[in-house]
Amino acid sequence: MSNPIAEQGSRRHWLRLVPLVIALVIGGFLFAGLNLRPKEIPSVLIGKAVPDFELPPLPGRPRGLTTADLKGEVSLVNVFASWCVSCRAEHPLFMKLQASGVVPVHGLNYKDEGSAAMGWLRRHGDPYDRVGADLKGRVGIDWGVYGVPETFLVSAEGRIVCKHIGPIMQRDLDDKLLPFIKALREGGTPQC
Amino acid sequence: MLRASIRFALLLLCIAGWSVSALSVAVDRPLEDPAQEARARAIHKQLRCLVCQNQSIEDSNAALARDLRVLVRDRILAGDTDQAAIRYIVERYGDWVLLKPPVKAGTIFLWAGPAVILMLAIVLIALWYRRRGGPAGRTVEPLSLDEQNRLKDLLGDGDRS
């Protein structure tokens, strides 16, 4: 007869690995979690038509922003406000975009006072084609806005293709938005 | 004290990350009809605040949470059912805003996960008991005379009794 203790040990051998396996599984999830960005809530409006809205212009600025204005050509819609600090960070990029004429940029001025917004645009430059003043933030809610800045890429058919949360950096422009704009103009359907 | 400092830290985080409206336009006033207000409050408790995450919009001080509270009240005044008012918000912000996520293909693991893990644990424990010949296991062969003698030697039977 073989040694019963040794035999029982080998039978239970695989059970000893259970804690290790559990630790590895939990570790795997935690490791994957390191690369998640829980602050960025995915938009449900991607691929859908832009919401129906009509916003008046800022006081002393000619053109407001409506749903119809977003049809006909590829455009960017930038949600901004004079009280928004990180809007300052991305602003020079929009100035450059406007100067280069690559793509029209429209502004959605979110919960801002008209005079404050106009002062801000005078101080830092006005890169926008049209700007709609969303005083109450209701149109922002229709767009699924939950912080400022946010930027939407809209197709020529008036469909929301992409949403960028937070300030846009040169890298986002080069790696994401500009290639997407190019693809859209060539009749492609890029996926965010 | 600790609570206050945690709140302060959260506030700083909100300001630092990326800004949330400073301008309050919407007024957060209860509805006149108490029954409608009760419905609105019940809906507020089910909706997750997008700014200070994992608080309901009922609990959150964020400006967007206040705007959404007002919006829910407006929907109810406009004659929406509770379901329709919730759907109105979900159409804009997605299932993410629901503190209780719906059962869907994408969330099935979330809902079934705990039950599956519990079953797995029960099966593993049952297997473990059987393998070690526990209460539910097979009967153990009695020791042979040789083995009994050896056991007595090992236990030092003579010394003890």
Side-chain angles (χ1 to χ4, degrees), chain A:
Chain A
M1 215 177 151
S2 65
N3 186 344
I5 293 166
E7 196 182 314
Q8 203 174 35
S10 75
R11 249 192 257 137
R12 275 206 257 158
H13 188 68
W14 66 274
L15 271 176
R16 292 205 188 119
L17 291 175
V18 168
L20 180 67
V21 170
I22 291 173
L24 283 177
V25 168
I26 293 175
F29 274 102
L30 293 178
F31 187 73
L34 287 177
N35 293 316
L36 294 180
R37 294 203 206 164
K39 277 272 169 195
E40 289 193 10
I41 303 163
S43 173
V44 283
L45 300 174
I46 304 295
K48 296 196 178 144
V50 298
D52 272 330
F53 73 100
E54 200 170 327
L55 285 176
L58 286 170
R61 209 180 174 285
R63 289 126 66 83
L65 189 64
T66 69
T67 308
D69 297 328
L70 296 175
K71 283 178 186 152
E73 64 176 323
V74 179
S75 58
L76 292 178
V77 176
N78 174 233
V79 184
F80 77 103
S82 66
W83 47 262
C84 154
V85 181
S86 31
C87 293
R88 291 272 300 277
E90 61 172 5
H91 202 69
L93 222 58
F94 286 120
M95 293 304 292
K96 267 205 307 201
L97 262 186
Q98 189 232 14
S100 67
V102 181
V103 63
V105 182
H106 302 298
L108 200 160
N109 186 229
Y110 182 72
K111 296 187 78 172
D112 208 351
E113 269 170 78
S115 54
M118 285 307 284
W120 194 81
L121 289 176
R122 262 194 302 276
R123 216 162 29 248
H124 304 295
D126 183 348
Y128 301 113
D129 185 347
R130 294 169 169 276
V131 176
D134 184 20
L135 197 63
K136 290 193 166 181
R138 274 295 162 91
V139 171
I141 289 177
D142 286 342
W143 280 75
V145 170
Y146 67 96
V148 191
E150 287 183 4
T151 303
F152 296 85
L153 171 61
V154 178
S155 75
E157 301 84 49
R159 199 166 38 80
I160 295 175
V161 181
C162 252
K163 173 181 181 176
H164 183 90
I165 293 162
I168 287 197
M169 299 289 137
Q170 186 70 48
R171 192 182 49 207
D172 304 312
L173 209 58
D174 294 341
D175 297 350
K176 206 164 75 175
L177 291 176
L178 290 179
F180 275 40
I181 290 167
K182 191 159 169 274
L184 280 172
R185 291 209 173 114
E186 286 163 358
T189 48
Q191 296 288 316
C192 245

Side-chain angles (χ1 to χ4, degrees), chain A residues 1 8 11-12 14-15 18 29 38-45 48 83-86 110-113 135-138 140-150 165-167, chain B residues 14-26 50-53 63-64 66-68 70-71 74 88-96 109 124 127-128 131-133 138 147:
Chain A
M1 215 177 151
Q8 203 174 35
R11 249 192 257 137
R12 275 206 257 158
W14 66 274
L15 271 176
V18 168
F29 274 102
K39 277 272 169 195
E40 289 193 10
I41 303 163
S43 173
V44 283
L45 300 174
K48 296 196 178 144
W83 47 262
C84 154
V85 181
S86 31
Y110 182 72
K111 296 187 78 172
D112 208 351
E113 269 170 78
L135 197 63
K136 290 193 166 181
R138 274 295 162 91
I141 289 177
D142 286 342
W143 280 75
V145 170
Y146 67 96
V148 191
E150 287 183 4
I165 293 162
Chain B
C14 281
I15 296 169
W18 100 104
S19 323
V20 173
S21 170
L23 192 73
S24 59
V25 177
L50 292 108
V51 181
C52 292
Q53 306 187 349
L64 182 63
R66 185 183 48 234
D67 290 353
L68 289 174
V70 173
L71 181 56
D74 284 357
Y88 188 90
I89 307 285
V90 169
E91 274 167 7
R92 283 151 183 78
Y93 290 105
D95 287 339
W96 196 96
F109 185 73
L124 277 177
L127 276 176
W128 184 57
R131 294 242 165 169
R132 80 198 271 264
R138 67 217 137 103
E147 285 169 334

Side-chain angles (χ1 to χ4, degrees), chain B residues 115-125:
Chain B
V116 168
I117 289 170
L118 182 67
M119 296 291 275
L120 209 68
I122 290 172
V123 169
L124 277 177
I125 289 168

